[in-house]
Amino acid sequence: MNAPARVTFRIRRFDPVRQSPPSWEDFEIPAVAGMTVLDGLRTIKETLAPTLAWRSSCRMGVCGSCGMFINGHPRLACNTQIAELGSGPVTVAPLPNFDTIRDLVPDLRPMFDKHAALSPYIIRDDHDEMYEPTGEYGQTPEELEEFLQFTYCIKCGCCMAACPTCATDPVYSGPMPLGQAHRYNADSRDGGFTTRKTALAGDQGPWRCHYAGECSRACPKGVDPARAIQLMKRQLVFDYLRLYSQPCPAGVVTPAPASARRPDVPEAPAPTVDVSRARTSPSC
Amino acid sequence: MLDTKGYPNRLGLRGWVGGGRWGLERYLYTLHRLTGLGLLVYFLLHIIVTSARAFGAAAWDASMARVTGPVFVAGEYLVFAAFVFHAANGVRLALVELGWAIGRPIEPVYPYRTSVDEQRPLAVGVLIVAALLAVVGGLDFFVLH
Ligand code: SF4
Ligand code: SF4
Ligand code: FES
């Protein structure tokens, strides 16, 4: 029987207790068909280096935890097969443009702080309706398409690692937070453009982006933050020239009158959790 | 809350030339910044050299005599080429940053087609215009004069 093919992982390691500069360590493991970089890291941890640290959760490109610098590119470890990386060692380093907490774990907190500073949520005046909704806010499919692409962001930080402005400018908010700010600015249910405009005006705002486009190329979800940022600039310029005013946020639509249920559509199954308990006061 | 001392890992200037997907627009970005800085340095030198005129015609002639010769012609041509690129690419950036040529948001379906692909013809067109102007300028600098 043929011995299984082997693959070498060159991994950048950093121990926060010793605080010595990061160093590269090689590990050779059997390569299996369909093996992802994340699978390789697990094999290394189980068999060769129990102290190896990284962040991952879903294994399927959904949670955004496993962004790493793989063969010089920001990618998701769970979404990258070693076969697609060609021959030669697989080099794995923590995402650049973020401090390294340990081994392959980047400190994403500055990105999340910048994200939070741009109010990435629906802002409206009708608080009663928002907290005790009487219906849905109406939105046409065309209105949805204005921002749907940007909602696929999983906050993995790959775009921030690829952006040349982020590489030299710690103040710049970066493609993820800015793209998400536009995701809400472009939402017809939102009325927060004026609030976000103030936060977008300074050095942290979109004017430090000069369309290198690397964020969009690196994004594993096809979010295209570079497009969101340019559309945001357009809105801001037109607003400055008094050529744009945000339309009133969408109102509640009246529910369609009840119609007869189609006989071939089964009833929803009974709840499997006690819904009444979930509705009790948060203090108990 | 976790509070460790992380290891700084910002790419710095290396991030201007690599670190992403090595796309054409990254190099246009870097070249735009470098040519911008080059033009700024030229303007400063230009003001210093021509300010000699304030000290009379003799000072002006002496100042001009110091900036002649093939090295300065080549240097001036580089400034011209940098200007041509910076101006043409600047037009592309102004259009793109106003939301033109990048397409509308789409449903992301793999393999993803991004706004960068949408504006690529514009980027190529701008490079061709810049190259043509640089060639015409080169004829004027080195052949006709
Ligand atoms: S825009 Fe893309 S690369 Fe950036 S954080 Fe979101 S999913 Fe990740
Ligand atoms: S398009 Fe803007 S945000 Fe995206 S990589 Fe380039 S400079 Fe950064
Ligand atoms: S482990 Fe969740 S995105 Fe990779």
Side-chain angles (χ1 to χ4, degrees):
Chain A
M1 204 175 97
N2 286 341
R6 299 183 75 77
V7 58
T8 303
F9 273 63
R10 296 206 71 202
I11 300 181
R12 204 176 92 145
R13 309 223 36 199
F14 169 66
D15 180 347
V17 178
R18 283 204 217 118
Q19 283 286 324
S20 46
S23 56
W24 292 91
E25 213 173 321
D26 284 5
F27 301 95
E28 206 190 72
I29 53 166
V32 187
M35 187 184 217
T36 64
V37 172
L38 183 60
D39 294 334
L41 293 178
R42 280 185 197 281
T43 307
I44 292 167
K45 189 171 177 82
E46 282 162 12
T47 59
L48 300 170
T51 57
L52 182 63
W54 73 86
R55 208 190 273 125
S56 69
S57 178
C58 69
R59 302 177 287 104
M60 54 187 184
V62 169
C63 71
S65 313
C66 68
M68 295 175 195
F69 209 48
I70 299 168
N71 283 14
H73 296 312
R75 297 170 183 267
L76 297 180
C78 68
N79 222 10
T80 307
Q81 299 220 354
I82 54 171
E84 73 188 76
L85 297 172
S87 56
V90 176
T91 59
V92 193
L95 273 190
N97 302 341
F98 298 103
D99 286 358
T100 304
I101 294 177
R102 182 187 178 107
D103 293 342
L104 303 172
V105 184
D107 185 354
L108 299 179
R109 284 174 297 180
M111 174 176 79
F112 292 131
D113 291 345
K114 290 169 177 169
H115 181 222
L118 297 177
S119 312
Y121 39 78
I122 298 273
I123 300 175
R124 300 175 60 100
D125 292 338
D126 53 352
H127 297 255
D128 292 347
E129 179 61 32
M130 282 186 80
Y131 294 106
E132 291 293 338
T134 58
E136 298 175 28
Y137 294 124
Q139 189 163 62
T140 64
E142 292 73 29
E143 287 167 341
L144 176 66
E145 274 168 20
E146 292 296 320
F147 68 91
L148 181 64
Q149 177 172 29
F150 314 129
T151 65
Y152 286 85
C153 174
I154 56 173
K155 323 292 183 287
C156 64
C158 286
C159 52
M160 310 281 285
C163 172
T165 304
C166 290
T168 45
D169 186 350
V171 177
Y172 176 53
S173 292
M176 186 288 268
L178 291 172
Q180 291 310 293
H182 184 69
R183 174 253 172 275
Y184 286 95
N185 278 348
D187 190 325
S188 61
R189 296 165 300 178
D190 178 79
F193 176 72
T194 314
T195 311
R196 280 180 216 108
K197 194 169 73 175
T198 325
L200 290 167
D203 286 348
Q204 71 278 22
W207 307 105
R208 291 292 157 116
C209 162
H210 306 299
Y211 202 66
E214 290 288 29
C215 51
S216 297
R217 275 195 208 92
C219 177
K221 304 300 284 183
V223 169
D224 207 342
R227 174 180 276 149
I229 296 172
Q230 313 321 309
L231 293 174
M232 167 194 272
K233 288 181 193 166
R234 175 197 181 95
Q235 239 174 19
L236 289 167
V237 169
F238 279 43
D239 174 71
Y240 182 77
L241 297 174
R242 308 255 187 281
L243 296 173
Y244 171 78
S245 65
Q246 191 178 30
C248 291
V252 176
V253 284
T254 0
S259 51
R261 189 181 191 85
R262 269 174 44 195
D264 56 329
V265 177
E267 287 293 331
T272 52
V273 290
D274 183 358
V275 186
S276 61
R277 277 196 58 208
R279 296 239 171 92
T280 51
S281 143
S283 56
C284 38
Chain B
M1 182 153 171
L2 164 93
D3 209 7
T4 51
K5 191 168 173 300
Y7 193 82
N9 195 22
R10 202 171 283 285
L11 282 174
L13 285 179
R14 272 185 307 139
W16 284 17
V17 288
R21 291 287 189 275
W22 310 86
L24 170 69
E25 287 72 16
R26 165 188 289 272
Y27 297 103
L28 298 185
Y29 167 103
T30 306
L31 205 54
H32 198 78
R33 287 196 151 180
L34 293 179
T35 50
L37 287 173
L39 289 172
L40 186 67
V41 170
Y42 170 78
F43 279 133
L44 292 176
L45 290 176
H46 178 71
I47 287 168
I48 292 169
V49 170
T50 51
S51 63
R53 190 64 188 87
F55 302 100
W60 167 255
D61 288 341
S63 174
M64 283 296 105
R66 245 177 274 130
V67 290
T68 47
V71 175
F72 283 96
V73 173
E76 271 189 339
Y77 177 68
L78 278 184
V79 170
F80 172 74
F83 166 73
V84 162
F85 168 78
H86 200 83
N89 194 46
V91 171
R92 174 184 74 97
L93 287 178
L95 290 176
V96 162
E97 296 194 19
L98 285 172
W100 280 300
I102 56 168
R104 296 173 57 75
I106 48 166
E107 179 94 12
V109 177
Y110 198 81
Y112 305 127
R113 185 177 159 79
T114 69
S115 59
V116 187
D117 304 310
E118 291 282 335
Q119 63 79 59
R120 179 58 63 77
L122 177 64
V124 172
V126 152
L127 282 180
I128 291 173
V129 169
L132 284 177
L133 288 174
V135 169
V136 172
L139 288 176
D140 187 57
F141 265 79
F142 299 113
V143 183
L144 301 179
H145 283 91

